[in-house]
């Protein structure tokens, strides 16, 4: 049975700005200054946002209905 190791994730320290790489189970603490608030770095991959697309569709339908009824 193959056990896949989770990838480490990069975080930025909220105090000194140092980049920290953590794996599951690691202590959430900056390795440089010891600060315990870390911010997850943004990923570079594009993410699909189905709820966002649905909001756009609903907004377009709403505007179409308004235009039809009020002859804007």
């Amino acid at each position: 049975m193959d056990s896949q190791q989770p990838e480490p994730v990069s975080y930025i320290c909220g105090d000194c700005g140092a980049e920290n790489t953590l794996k599951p189970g690691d202590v959430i603490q900056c390795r440089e200054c010891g600060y315990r608030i870390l911010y997850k770095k943004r990923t570079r991959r594009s993410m699909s946002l189905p709820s966002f697309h649905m909001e756009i569709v609903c907004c377009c339908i709403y505007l179409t209905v308004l235009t039809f009824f009020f002859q804007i």
Side-chain angles (χ1 to χ4, degrees), residues 17-32:
E19 184 173 329
N20 292 271
T21 303
L22 300 177
K23 294 179 281 190
D26 285 352
V27 176
I28 301 172
Q29 188 172 18
C30 177
R31 298 188 199 291
E32 300 294 321

Side-chain angles (χ1 to χ4, degrees), residues 3-67:
S3 62
Q4 292 184 351
Q5 295 294 326
E7 292 184 18
V9 180
S10 293
Y11 294 89
I12 303 295
C13 176
D15 189 37
C16 71
E19 184 173 329
N20 292 271
T21 303
L22 300 177
K23 294 179 281 190
D26 285 352
V27 176
I28 301 172
Q29 188 172 18
C30 177
R31 298 188 199 291
E32 300 294 321
C33 68
Y35 199 65
R36 298 184 60 88
I37 299 175
L38 303 177
Y39 297 98
K40 188 174 182 180
K41 280 183 77 171
R42 290 183 179 235
T43 58
R44 299 224 186 274
R45 66 180 177 184
S46 63
M47 295 185 184
S48 175
L49 301 173
S51 60
F52 176 73
H53 295 298
M54 192 59 166
E55 284 183 29
I56 297 292
V57 169
C58 290
C59 187
C60 289
I61 292 171
Y62 179 72
L63 289 175
T64 304
V65 170
L66 280 179
T67 303

